[in-house]
Amino acid sequence: MIKLSINVDHVATLREARRAEFPQPKEAALLAIKAGADGITIHLRGDRRHIKESDLEVLKKTIQKPLNLEMAANPEMLSIAKKYKPNLVTLVPEKPEELTTEGGLDVNKNFDLLDDAIKRLREEKLKISLFINPDSDSVNKAAELNADFVELNTDAYAEAGDQEKSKSELENLKKMAKLARGLGLGVNAGHGLNYQNIKGITIIEEIEEVSIGHAIVARAVIVGFEKAVGEMLELLKK
Ligand code: PXP
């Protein structure tokens, strides 16, 4: 069964909407784990629009499941990763004006920068994943960079619109997952996944873990966190 890491960024988004003390990502993370989630993901952005460094500190201390830290490959974030030692560091591209991560890393353009970041993270024995678009060039470059995992960007699949496009995006994800696995990379996937489109992903046996945020937090507002996580786990089982 594909593992499920719950991204709790948008619990912090709700908190920050009022610059309040609640809701706390930690509370949501504990409920997610109680409901059976395999891990927790957070994205610490340069502008700290949702998750703060203090959330990272608290989550690292509190949760008993793996913590995946998504972050940009810049000096500030590298030193934060070294300080808190999450179980996985997922390097992502980041633009201050974007609503959410727009696309995977441009691995070609940023090869040297990523190479340097990965070497620095390795000094602390951290595991590294690269969030990439599902194309063979990006997968091959991720292997050259010696990453432990790739996280395949599922956005094109999630946003496909019609069935034919959705099928071809899924085929492509499957091919890229196989390629990555063949090159010795672990394969994760995420972005835009929800209760409707997750089913397609479950047929890709190379995928070890999905990270899902918005859809689950949105559902949790209506039915509660444990139920929202439980419903997704049920779909992953099938
Ligand atoms: N993976 C990455 C790299 C992301 O940046 C995000 C969004 O924070 C997610 C997965 C989760 O995406 P969503 O919120 O659409 O489930």
Side-chain angles (χ1 to χ4, degrees):
M1 182 177 152
I2 296 180
K3 289 188 204 157
L4 175 63
S5 183
I6 306 290
N7 180 317
V8 293
D9 290 354
H10 294 314
V11 176
T13 301
L14 185 55
R15 177 188 64 193
E16 296 309 312
R18 296 293 290 269
R19 306 266 186 278
E21 295 295 315
F22 59 87
Q24 288 290 342
K26 178 188 92 170
E27 284 180 69
L30 289 172
L31 288 172
I33 290 167
K34 193 169 161 217
D38 300 285
I40 299 298
T41 295
I42 50 174
H43 184 172
L44 184 66
R45 285 183 166 269
D47 63 10
R48 307 294 196 273
R49 67 171 77 154
H50 39 52
I51 293 293
K52 314 276 180 228
E53 202 175 318
S54 54
D55 293 314
L56 168 58
E57 185 177 7
V58 166
L59 283 165
K60 188 67 184 61
K61 277 194 198 141
T62 318
I63 63 164
Q64 303 294 322
K65 293 275 179 170
L67 180 65
N68 171 25
L69 174 64
E70 292 175 3
M71 58 176 229
N74 62 37
E76 183 200 13
M77 291 299 157
L78 291 174
S79 62
I80 288 175
K82 284 181 172 198
K83 182 171 173 192
Y84 295 105
K85 297 186 176 31
N87 305 84
L88 183 68
V89 173
T90 300
L91 297 176
V92 300
E94 198 175 292
K95 287 191 219 140
E97 69 280 9
E98 68 192 359
L99 271 181
T100 180
T101 314
E102 289 171 355
L105 291 160
D106 186 337
V107 195
N108 266 316
K109 194 169 141 201
N110 298 303
F111 192 90
D112 291 341
L113 183 139
L114 290 168
D115 191 38
D116 186 56
I118 289 171
K119 283 179 181 141
R120 282 164 194 261
L121 293 167
R122 285 255 182 267
E123 286 166 10
E124 303 295 322
K125 301 195 170 26
L126 293 170
K127 275 204 165 32
I128 300 134
S129 179
L130 300 179
F131 180 61
I132 57 167
N133 290 329
D135 61 72
S136 53
D137 192 34
S138 298
V139 174
N140 284 318
K141 284 281 183 311
E144 260 180 66
L145 282 164
N146 230 350
D148 300 288
F149 286 84
V150 284
E151 180 181 331
L152 296 177
N153 181 6
T154 49
D155 212 37
Y157 162 67
E159 296 293 325
D162 63 76
Q163 254 189 353
E164 205 173 312
K165 177 103 170 61
S166 161
K167 203 171 148 212
S168 80
E169 291 296 342
L170 198 59
E171 283 298 321
N172 182 52
L173 281 168
K174 200 171 170 180
K175 246 170 57 187
M176 292 307 117
K178 265 196 179 17
L179 175 66
R181 175 67 78 80
L183 291 167
L185 293 158
V187 185
N188 295 334
H191 211 274
L193 296 177
N194 59 38
Y195 296 87
Q196 284 73 44
N197 62 27
I198 192 64
K199 230 171 148 192
I201 297 294
T202 60
I203 61 162
I204 308 178
E205 58 194 37
E206 288 79 9
I207 293 178
E208 291 178 36
E209 182 173 277
V210 286
S211 115
I212 307 182
H214 183 260
I216 290 179
V217 175
R219 180 88 183 128
V221 171
I222 309 298
V223 301
F225 227 89
E226 282 183 76
K227 188 158 178 350
V229 171
E231 286 175 0
M232 187 59 79
L233 285 168
E234 276 304 308
L235 293 170
L236 284 168
K237 254 190 223 163
K238 287 176 187 159

